[in-house]
Amino acid sequence: QVQLVESGGGLVQPGGSLRLSCAASGSIFRINAMTWYRQAPGKEREWVATITTGDATSYADSVKGRFTISIDSPKNTMYLQMSNLKPEDTALYYCNADISRYWRTAGEHYWGQGTPVTVSS
């Protein structure tokens, strides 16, 4: 099995910063890509950012220039450095990982339980 555990959420003032972490553990042969999503109260889950095995990154327009996604491959841990936070960034942040558990097998998607981020003065 594979487990994803997010951490690092909390309460921060507008303009502040937070760093989220997502640690993957279990039966992992290769992480193909990792992605952050978020879901604000009363809204649908939305894509935030993705990083692939080649360290290619992509961001939603709403966070581009403020958020940075990165990965520590030896630790199977993904990070989301969030700066210049705005009240509209308030949401439950989830990580998703596309993981191949064995050699020459297709990747499967796994989800973490989410970590809350609240941006408020």
Side-chain angles (χ1 to χ4, degrees):
Q1 246 325 340
V2 172
Q3 297 82 36
L4 299 180
V5 178
E6 301 102 329
S7 60
L11 173 64
V12 63
Q13 292 186 344
S17 299
L18 278 177
R19 190 176 81 153
L20 306 183
S21 300
C22 173
S25 62
S27 178
I28 298 171
F29 173 73
R30 184 182 63 244
I31 296 178
N32 303 307
M34 296 187 81
T35 299
W36 287 100
Y37 290 86
R38 67 185 182 186
Q39 186 167 19
K43 295 188 177 181
E44 293 189 352
R45 189 174 298 187
E46 65 173 352
W47 169 71
V48 175
T50 296
I51 186 165
T52 67
T53 50
D55 288 341
T57 59
S58 55
Y59 299 91
D61 288 343
S62 58
V63 306
K64 200 172 294 183
R66 300 188 298 121
F67 291 9
T68 302
I69 191 171
S70 61
I71 190 167
D72 184 335
S73 295
K75 295 183 178 179
N76 288 336
T77 300
M78 170 179 64
Y79 303 96
L80 186 68
Q81 178 67 47
M82 305 185 294
S83 303
N84 191 21
L85 283 161
K86 305 175 181 180
E88 51 263 43
D89 294 318
T90 295
L92 191 60
Y93 283 71
Y94 296 90
C95 72
N96 173 280
D98 177 355
I99 292 174
S100 295
R101 295 180 61 194
Y102 307 101
W103 181 56
R104 296 182 69 180
T105 59
E108 299 174 65
H109 284 267
Y110 298 88
W111 290 90
Q113 80 290 348
T115 185
V117 172
T118 302
V119 184
S120 175
S121 55

